[in-house]
Amino acid sequence: MYNLIYSKTLVLLGKQVPVTGIGLFRAAYGLVTLQEIIFLYYFNHLIFDPIPFIDVEFPTITLFLCLWGIIASFIVLGYRYQSALICNYIFWLVFINFTPMQRDFDGGFDLFMIGTNFFLLFMPGDRAFSLDNLRYKLSTPFTHYSRYPQTTVSVLAYYLPVLICLGFLYFDSAIHKMFAEHWRNGLGSWLPSTQPYYVSALDMSWLLNNELLEKTIGYTILVFQFTFIFFFTHRRLRVVYLLIGMGLHLGITLSLNIYPFGMGMLVFYILLVPFSFWRAIGRLLATKQPALTVFYDKQCPLCNRTVLILNHFDIFKCIDFKNAQDYAEQYPAMAAISPQTLLTDLYALDTQQRIYSGVDTYIQICLKMRWLAIVGAILRLPGIYTLAKNKYRAIADARSRVGCDTECLVVAPLPNGTWYQRYFVEMAAQKPKAVARRLSKILIAILVLQLNSTIHYGIVYRLDIDTKQNQFTDALAKGSNALLALSQTFLGIAPHALYLHDHFAGYDRILAITYTDPQGNEQWLPFVNGQGRLLAPNWGRVHSMWANIAVTPTINNVRLQKFIMKVTAFWGHKIGLNLNNTVFHIQLKKIDAPTHWVHDQLHLNFASPWVTIGTVKWANNVITYDLPNNINSL
């Protein structure tokens, strides 16, 4: 097995492919992280306060969330890539392990995001669509952008994260699914979508009420997850897995209210897009002929850096930058301008042979770049144009020039200190076999950690095997637990046993909260509505808190009261209620979670009537409950 993995790794290590997908993957991961930080900021009192807005245990939490948001923005932009990812990794670890996030508000994808971040640390995410890529070029400003070769990376940068973060996860998930009756009946995607707590605002009844289509989807998911790890790299099957996987996770994102999980998984499919597609998109976006030719002073450091910056953001390749000293004389339209005059301004020539200079050149650059056209239009406005012209003139007249030949213009490039550069480029160039051997051993170690989790939770736990029957199995179980703690904390390797039979079996009642307003009318708290749906923005980890911890097949009154307290205090404050003068009513409705297909089950659950089972009151910031001792018997 080792020799097979080693030989395959050695071949793939030297195979170079475009870096486009890696850059987009990095940016998408950063955006998913950023949206989750914004979510945490909005719900910070609900999640982190023992009593929202009343007992604030973490007064500086918003400061740390803002710092984390800045780090996530750096990842999106590709700025200080390696440092930003290390900081982001630490933030995920700290927030998950030292706050109530994981215990009470599990987002369902936190560990997955940690594992993804770990692999991003070793990926060349700074090489495409990044400010770091621009920083490297700016460190050698006198090197024209055309002299940089097309960036390529090892195909392992694509395959390894997909293999481990998706392939291992899917296979683990499929094993767990085989123990669930509704999955064996082909209703794995149907059942959660019929439960009011789990659905989004979209009514997917047209799909849910088609039994054949739903079962086809359910069994397709099982086959897809069992086979993905073996065939996703196959050239002819790659697009098939790409389309099915995107459809699966896009469906989760749109139809269920666990959208962060759906988006987190969906971004991985950027890495499965065929490399030929990125090349085709590049050819499609690039203009066949530049719309503007700009002439600059090649001995002006500021001019050279400006050219590199503008070219970096010229997505559609609409502008061609040439130094005036070597190229201006090749254009007849520029003959009327003396060489000395050309060096005093930034000149441009469009396809109609019209000449522009100074601020007008920048206006044309913005307009011709297309996506910056609004900036060009703003620069044309009276007052702004005059101000920009005066500012440009002051900078242009004060700029410095280097009066020597190209030999003295050589500047040491900014070193690329990323781990990918160090281990996958520099070291692999010197000792490819040694790197391949090391990678093979690491891959086998991760495989062992994943198998430990799958066997521990997917087989031993599911089959209810007693590991304490002898000393050997007991010691083995304890060792397995130690490995699980390590791999789950730092690599995000965890059982992917979502929405199985042990989750829905007995889930026959749901709760909501209403209140009596100052006019004596009963209103729904903006949390769970009259249908039983959790309203936006109470999705993601807030949904998990209520639907997976507070209200379960067997309701624990202590946990339920804790979260009733949190929800009433948080939303009462948000909508401006005086808690001490408001009576909250706890509503219960019966629902059904069948393991066989039932026509229009979602609307049957929606239509089930509510019954008031108790009240909750606040007095002097202390809550009292008038609830049944055993809600499970109702």
Side-chain angles (χ1 to χ4, degrees):
M1 179 180 178
Y2 169 79
N3 289 333
L4 176 64
I5 294 175
Y6 165 72
S7 60
K8 191 69 174 177
T9 301
L10 184 60
V11 172
L12 295 177
L13 184 63
K15 183 179 179 180
Q16 297 294 301
V17 294
V19 72
T20 309
I22 303 288
L24 292 174
F25 173 72
R26 180 215 73 234
Y29 172 84
L31 287 173
V32 173
T33 301
L34 188 59
Q35 71 80 29
E36 192 64 18
I37 295 167
I38 294 172
F39 182 94
L40 290 171
Y41 189 93
Y42 182 84
F43 283 104
N44 81 87
H45 288 286
L46 176 64
I47 295 172
F48 303 108
D49 290 356
I51 305 176
F53 297 106
I54 296 172
D55 181 7
V56 181
E57 185 172 337
F58 302 98
T60 60
I61 199 74
T62 53
L63 171 62
F64 289 106
L65 287 173
C66 288
L67 292 175
W68 191 6
I70 293 172
I71 295 299
S73 299
F74 282 4
I75 294 174
V76 174
L77 298 173
Y79 180 69
R80 307 280 179 177
Y81 173 75
Q82 195 74 64
S83 299
L85 278 170
I86 292 173
C87 292
N88 190 66
Y89 184 67
I90 293 172
F91 269 117
W92 273 114
L93 289 177
V94 170
F95 268 84
I96 286 177
N97 291 287
F98 299 101
T99 74
M101 271 177 56
Q102 184 70 10
R103 183 182 68 252
D104 295 336
F105 293 86
D106 178 15
F109 79 133
D110 295 332
L111 296 176
F112 178 77
M113 293 295 280
I114 285 178
T116 304
N117 195 123
F118 178 82
F119 284 100
L120 268 170
L121 287 168
F122 299 91
M123 294 171 68
D126 62 318
R127 297 195 171 194
F129 310 112
S130 72
L131 293 181
D132 277 352
N133 198 21
L134 176 59
R135 288 174 59 234
Y136 300 144
K137 292 179 181 178
L138 288 176
S139 66
T140 54
F142 296 105
T143 301
H144 193 264
Y145 58 81
S146 61
R147 295 172 60 184
Y148 289 96
Q150 183 181 9
T151 304
T152 58
V153 297
S154 170
V155 73
L156 284 176
Y158 284 85
Y159 286 170
L160 287 182
V162 174
L163 171 70
I164 295 169
C165 294
L166 286 190
F168 288 178
L169 181 149
Y170 284 151
F171 197 82
D172 175 83
S173 178
I175 291 176
H176 284 280
K177 286 179 172 62
M178 295 309 298
F179 289 90
E181 183 180 356
H182 65 285
W183 273 104
R184 295 196 300 270
N185 292 338
L187 300 176
S189 66
W190 175 83
L191 182 56
S193 299
T194 64
Q195 304 302 296
Y197 272 177
Y198 295 87
V199 295
S200 70
L202 294 178
D203 191 335
M204 304 293 289
S205 295
W206 60 272
L207 179 61
L208 299 174
N209 291 335
N210 188 321
E211 181 181 5
L212 178 61
L213 186 55
E214 278 294 330
K215 288 186 175 181
T216 301
I217 293 172
Y219 287 126
T220 298
I221 292 173
L222 284 175
V223 173
F224 169 82
Q225 292 193 330
F226 266 123
T227 61
F228 181 92
I229 192 172
F230 303 107
F231 300 114
F232 79 91
T233 60
H234 193 282
R235 185 171 60 87
R236 294 182 179 177
L237 295 178
R238 188 172 182 176
V239 174
V240 175
Y241 282 98
L242 169 67
L243 295 177
I244 294 176
M246 288 183 63
L248 166 64
H249 294 295
L250 188 61
I252 290 173
T253 303
L254 295 177
S255 63
L256 301 178
N257 56 26
I258 53 172
Y259 69 93
F261 167 78
M263 292 193 304
M265 299 288 286
L266 194 59
V267 299
F268 257 94
Y269 284 87
I270 297 173
L271 299 178
L272 271 181
V273 174
F275 305 122
S276 58
F277 178 83
W278 298 126
R279 297 187 185 100
I281 289 294
R283 290 192 297 268
L284 182 65
L285 292 179
T287 55
K288 295 181 174 60
Q289 176 181 329
L292 193 71
T293 303
V294 177
F295 301 93
Y296 65 95
D297 180 0
K298 72 175 183 179
Q299 292 181 306
C300 166
L302 175 62
C303 303
N304 280 272
R305 288 190 173 92
T306 301
V307 165
L308 289 173
I309 293 171
L310 292 173
N311 173 260
H312 184 80
F313 293 103
D314 184 14
I315 299 172
F316 303 104
K317 306 303 178 188
C318 299
I319 317 297
D320 189 14
F321 294 92
K322 296 181 178 294
N323 73 74
Q325 289 94 326
D326 296 335
Y327 294 96
E329 62 183 17
Q330 299 177 12
Y331 294 80
M334 305 297 294
I337 305 174
S338 68
Q340 189 59 36
T341 304
L342 270 175
L343 302 181
T344 61
D345 268 321
L346 197 66
Y347 280 84
L349 183 69
D350 66 14
T351 53
Q352 282 76 43
Q353 304 301 300
R354 290 180 295 222
I355 298 175
Y356 307 90
S357 66
V359 171
D360 293 315
T361 294
Y362 281 99
I363 291 173
Q364 289 301 313
I365 289 172
C366 293
L367 294 174
K368 295 298 191 295
M369 277 189 183
R370 302 177 190 175
W371 69 280
L372 287 179
I374 185 66
V375 178
I378 292 173
L379 286 173
R380 279 178 163 176
L381 295 175
I384 295 179
Y385 178 82
T386 302
L387 182 64
K389 192 172 183 179
N390 292 336
K391 189 66 176 176
Y392 168 83
R393 189 75 269 151
I395 295 174
D397 292 343
R399 64 190 171 89
S400 61
R401 299 183 72 241
V402 178
C404 61
D405 59 24
T406 54
E407 291 184 4
C408 75
L409 301 181
V410 176
V411 181
L414 184 70
N416 183 335
T418 61
W419 294 350
Y420 176 85
Q421 177 70 20
R422 187 181 307 170
Y423 300 117
F424 287 85
V425 178
E426 297 172 359
M427 189 177 294
Q430 299 173 4
K431 301 177 180 179
K433 292 184 178 180
V435 172
R437 282 194 293 269
R438 187 173 301 174
L439 278 174
S440 301
K441 292 175 182 177
I442 293 172
L443 183 58
I444 290 174
I446 294 175
L447 175 60
V448 169
L449 292 174
Q450 178 62 65
L451 285 174
N452 176 59
S453 177
T454 300
I455 294 172
H456 186 101
Y457 289 111
I459 297 178
V460 175
Y461 171 77
R462 294 291 173 191
L463 296 178
D464 196 21
I465 298 174
D466 182 11
T467 59
K468 295 184 178 181
Q469 56 186 339
N470 60 64
Q471 292 183 343
F472 176 75
T473 56
D474 186 44
L476 202 62
K478 290 179 179 178
S480 173
N481 283 326
L483 280 179
L484 286 169
L486 180 68
S487 61
Q488 182 168 307
T489 301
F490 297 103
L491 296 178
I493 296 176
H496 197 68
L498 298 179
Y499 298 167
L500 300 185
H501 65 291
D502 48 5
H503 182 91
F504 290 111
Y507 211 125
D508 58 2
R509 67 187 69 79
I510 59 175
L511 302 179
I513 305 173
T514 60
Y515 66 95
T516 303
D517 67 16
Q519 290 73 39
N521 301 314
E522 189 172 4
Q523 307 284 353
W524 292 94
L525 202 65
F527 185 61
V528 177
N529 71 359
Q531 292 179 318
R533 288 192 303 106
L534 278 152
L535 297 174
N538 301 285
W539 293 354
R541 62 182 71 251
V542 175
H543 150 87
S544 179
M545 171 273 293
W546 189 253
N548 300 338
I549 300 177
V551 182
T552 60
T554 303
I555 297 175
N556 180 290
N557 272 21
V558 174
R559 286 202 309 264
L560 176 63
Q561 291 177 9
K562 171 184 175 180
F563 293 118
I564 288 176
M565 174 271 294
K566 276 183 165 283
V567 171
T568 54
F570 178 82
W571 278 114
H573 181 276
K574 280 286 187 181
I575 63 177
L577 295 178
N578 184 340
L579 285 182
N580 294 322
N581 293 331
T582 305
V583 177
F584 295 93
H585 311 278
I586 309 303
Q587 308 288 342
L588 179 146
K589 79 150 66 179
K590 289 295 187 72
I591 60 169
D592 194 15
T595 56
H596 58 279
W597 186 80
V598 177
H599 178 75
D600 212 21
Q601 182 62 57
L602 175 63
H603 286 103
L604 291 175
N605 285 335
F606 278 167
S608 180
W610 292 97
V611 177
T612 303
I613 62 169
T615 59
V616 170
K617 297 179 182 178
W618 286 86
N620 299 320
N621 293 333
V622 176
I623 190 171
T624 56
Y625 306 90
D626 181 12
L627 295 172
N629 291 327
N630 187 8
I631 295 178
N632 298 298
S633 63
L634 299 178

